[in-house]
Amino acid sequence: MTDIQKPLPHNIELEQELLGCILMNNDCFDLVARSLQPEHFYERVHQIVFEAMGKMITIGRKVNPTTLKSYMPEDVKIADDLNLGQYLARLAVNAVSPVMARDYAIGIRDLWASRKLMVTCEDIQQALATREPDVDPFAVMAPIEDEIAKLRGQRIATGEASQHGQSYLDSITKAQQRGGVSGVPICLQEISEVISSPVFEAGNLYGLLASSGEGKSSLTLQVIAHALRKGHPVLFLSFDQNADQCIRQMVAQEFSIEARRQLFGDVSEKEMKKAVDFATWIDRQPFKVIKCTDQSAPQLVGLARSFIRTNGNGKVPLVVVDHIRAIKAEDRRSDEGTKALQIGNILKGGAEQTRAAWLILNQRNTSGMRRDNPRPIIADLFGGEGALAPFDAIFYLYRFLKFYQQAKSTASTGSDWKKIDRVFPSAVREENEDIAEIGVIKSRFGNPHITSRLIFEATFTRYRSDRQDIGEMQEAML
């Protein structure tokens, strides 16, 4: 039987009509430029035409068949009886309504994505067929998962979507049916207040900014434990802690049994029973800790997708990544801002694909430590302001005591002490209270200036609201 090779998906007429729209109305280019690149066209001549249009329009030149012809390669020929100038004129004459330009662009982009995925699948098929005996078949599949994650990340970055109004109405209808927002419940009301949401919403990407030693991992484990208590699947992709360390800290937080005593087996019989009960309980939960090493963002999305397929139970999953600086960039030669944006776009695409809430821990850079007021700002993020775009909300954790002790240790003049008095609360300076401020760096809606206070209990590495006592906090956890 003869194997007839089918052509890759394409639509020449779609490409022609879009180019005709731009020739007749240059404003159409601005409608599609964000989501469409020359490489997305199937026909090579169309790639050349679109690229030339973009260059001319960008510098303010009028594009029509006559002006465009001057910037086209002379050797480009469409057919024996049709040169490029004639072809451009025909595209303009046959142009349809400009209102269709955006839909044309989406169609062209989707066909390009289909071609990319088909080629990737063929490569995987060939790799599996020629796989050496010592190569894991699933390792061979990794490139296709990476490619899918990249394509999804690019789609998120360009904001391709249609029927925006209908999507908005659908979200309201679904919220009414559920009686609220679909997402993962949050353990502390203060977090909900600063991000202006009662939950971590499904499909959203959240960031938590704090410096090393401020307890961002501690707060994250409280978030995880609360989500598990409410029945939500949780995947913790950690470049820092392993599963034993996580559970030891969770037991310390929930039962006030110091992690150090657990490590050395210095626990009472009653405490041991609590630890056993907790370990037994958590083994029955849809919970997994994966100790990461040098994974890229697409690989993390692949791990999340696999976990959710296995552990999905109908409730919104929570995926936590600790931390973004440790994620391997696709191009290590890129600047920090480009790396952060690319990683963020892929993780945002993963959040939407998996319909999970993703929480990404972000360790502050050292520039904030040198400011007179070290309160977190956008510049402290990995990638700075350029990294904000993919995130739906980024909140920060700021422990005054940690920075107060650092400032006090180097203060040498009256001016230094005046700065310290101005920056740090009296409760920290006079009573050494371990207070943390929680606020927001980015929020899509709500008041961006809301801040709240938490109390950090270092012995048990946990945060609690200053509005509740310890008994209330433990009851809320359960």
Side-chain angles (χ1 to χ4, degrees):
M1 181 176 177
T2 304
D3 183 16
I4 301 175
Q5 184 70 36
K6 293 183 179 180
L8 293 172
H10 65 281
N11 187 329
I12 297 298
E13 290 78 12
L14 199 65
E15 297 180 4
Q16 290 173 330
E17 290 182 0
L18 175 61
L19 295 176
C21 284
I22 298 172
L23 285 169
M24 293 304 294
N25 186 338
N26 290 179
D27 291 340
C28 291
F29 182 82
D30 294 330
L31 296 175
V32 304
R34 185 167 177 260
S35 62
L36 207 60
Q37 297 297 323
E39 66 186 65
H40 298 149
F41 289 82
Y42 179 80
E43 172 59 54
R44 175 59 182 159
V45 171
H46 295 167
Q47 294 178 2
I48 295 171
V49 170
F50 186 77
E51 183 173 15
M53 285 177 167
K55 289 179 179 178
M56 291 181 66
I57 292 172
T58 299
I59 62 173
R61 295 290 304 278
K62 176 71 175 176
V63 169
N64 59 40
T66 303
T67 60
L68 185 60
K69 181 183 175 182
S70 303
Y71 296 94
M72 301 299 295
E74 294 183 0
D75 58 345
V76 174
K77 195 163 183 68
I78 305 303
D80 291 339
D81 61 341
L82 189 68
N83 61 38
L84 185 56
Q86 294 168 326
Y87 183 66
L88 294 174
R90 182 176 296 182
L91 290 179
V93 168
N94 295 328
V96 295
S97 173
V99 300
M100 297 297 294
R102 194 189 301 275
D103 288 331
Y104 291 157
I106 292 173
I108 292 168
R109 177 67 180 265
D110 283 347
L111 288 167
W112 167 80
S114 297
R115 295 194 295 272
K116 292 279 289 183
L117 291 172
M118 288 177 68
V119 171
T120 302
C121 289
E122 290 174 0
D123 292 343
I124 293 299
Q125 186 176 24
Q126 178 64 24
L128 287 170
T130 58
R131 176 180 61 87
E132 296 294 334
D134 60 341
V135 176
D136 184 355
F138 288 97
V140 177
M141 290 296 297
I144 193 170
E145 294 182 343
D146 292 357
E147 187 67 24
I148 291 170
K150 289 178 187 176
L151 290 172
R152 287 186 180 277
Q154 291 171 3
R155 170 170 282 187
I156 296 301
T158 57
E160 291 180 20
S162 59
Q163 303 296 319
H164 299 297
Q166 186 59 50
S167 176
Y168 159 73
L169 294 176
D170 288 345
S171 69
I172 293 181
T173 301
K174 290 176 182 177
Q176 288 175 331
Q177 292 170 345
R178 288 189 303 264
V181 182
S182 176
V184 179
I186 301 174
C187 60
L188 289 166
Q189 183 180 349
E190 286 81 355
I191 300 176
S192 297
E193 289 174 355
V194 298
I195 67 172
S196 301
S197 175
V199 297
F200 292 127
E201 292 187 48
N204 277 8
L205 183 68
Y206 297 92
L208 169 56
L209 174 67
S211 69
S212 177
E214 282 194 278
K216 60 182 178 297
S217 295
S218 301
L219 181 59
T220 299
L221 289 172
Q222 290 178 246
V223 169
I224 288 173
H226 186 72
L228 290 173
R229 292 285 188 194
K230 299 298 182 180
H232 293 257
V234 180
L235 173 64
F236 189 18
L237 300 168
S238 176
F239 290 86
D240 184 22
Q241 301 184 87
N242 59 35
D244 284 354
Q245 292 168 328
C246 291
I247 294 174
R248 188 180 302 129
Q249 193 168 359
M250 291 163 82
V251 169
Q253 292 173 344
E254 295 211 19
F255 302 108
S256 301
I257 308 172
E258 299 96 321
R260 177 190 57 79
R261 291 202 292 115
Q262 294 177 54
L263 182 63
F264 291 102
D266 182 18
V267 294
S268 67
E269 185 175 340
K270 184 177 180 180
E271 290 172 332
M272 186 64 188
K273 183 179 185 308
K274 290 180 179 179
V276 170
D277 288 345
F278 183 84
T280 303
W281 170 80
I282 206 164
D283 277 345
R284 297 196 302 265
Q285 307 311 308
F287 176 52
K288 187 172 185 178
V289 179
I290 297 180
K291 183 68 172 68
C292 299
T293 52
D294 63 346
Q295 283 84 353
S296 65
Q299 289 172 327
L300 297 180
V301 173
L303 292 172
R305 190 166 53 245
S306 177
F307 168 80
I308 293 168
R309 278 199 303 265
T310 305
N311 297 276
N313 61 5
K315 293 196 172 186
V316 176
L318 174 65
V319 179
V320 179
V321 181
D322 181 11
H323 54 89
I324 193 169
R325 287 180 179 272
I327 299 173
K328 184 173 70 175
E330 295 297 303
D331 183 0
R332 299 196 177 190
R333 295 170 297 179
S334 300
D335 62 88
E336 188 176 276
T338 301
K339 290 179 184 177
L341 182 59
Q342 289 174 343
I343 290 171
N345 282 332
I346 292 171
L347 297 183
K348 173 60 178 175
E352 295 202 345
Q353 175 199 1
T354 58
R355 296 306 299 159
W358 283 58
L359 176 61
I360 315 301
L361 276 58
N362 195 312
Q363 185 163 308
R364 289 176 62 178
N365 57 40
T366 57
S367 62
M369 317 300 180
R370 297 189 292 269
R371 293 195 299 268
D372 290 340
N373 187 342
R375 178 178 275 99
I377 59 175
I378 291 175
D380 296 335
L381 285 171
F382 174 59
E385 187 170 358
L388 287 174
F391 286 89
D392 295 279
I394 300 176
F395 59 103
Y396 67 81
L397 192 62
Y398 173 47
R399 271 176 64 197
F400 294 99
L401 188 60
K402 168 187 168 69
F403 292 94
Y404 168 64
Q405 290 171 338
Q406 290 177 354
K408 187 172 65 171
S409 67
T410 58
S412 58
T413 66
S415 176
D416 291 338
W417 285 106
K418 286 181 179 179
K419 291 176 184 176
I420 289 174
D421 289 344
R422 187 174 66 251
V423 168
F424 298 102
S426 59
V428 175
R429 291 184 282 106
E430 297 169 8
E431 302 173 35
N432 276 343
E433 288 190 17
D434 205 342
I435 300 170
E437 178 181 279
I438 186 167
V440 67
I441 294 287
K442 175 187 177 179
S443 180
R444 294 203 185 279
F445 56 90
N447 184 348
H449 305 295
I450 294 176
T451 60
S452 291
R453 293 282 178 89
L454 297 173
I455 297 173
F456 186 67
E457 298 179 327
T459 303
F460 308 116
T461 63
R462 70 188 175 203
Y463 282 95
R464 67 177 175 87
S465 171
D466 62 358
R467 308 169 190 171
Q468 62 183 167
D469 59 28
I470 295 175
E472 290 174 337
M473 180 193 69
Q474 292 177 331
E475 183 179 347
M477 286 180 175
L478 299 173

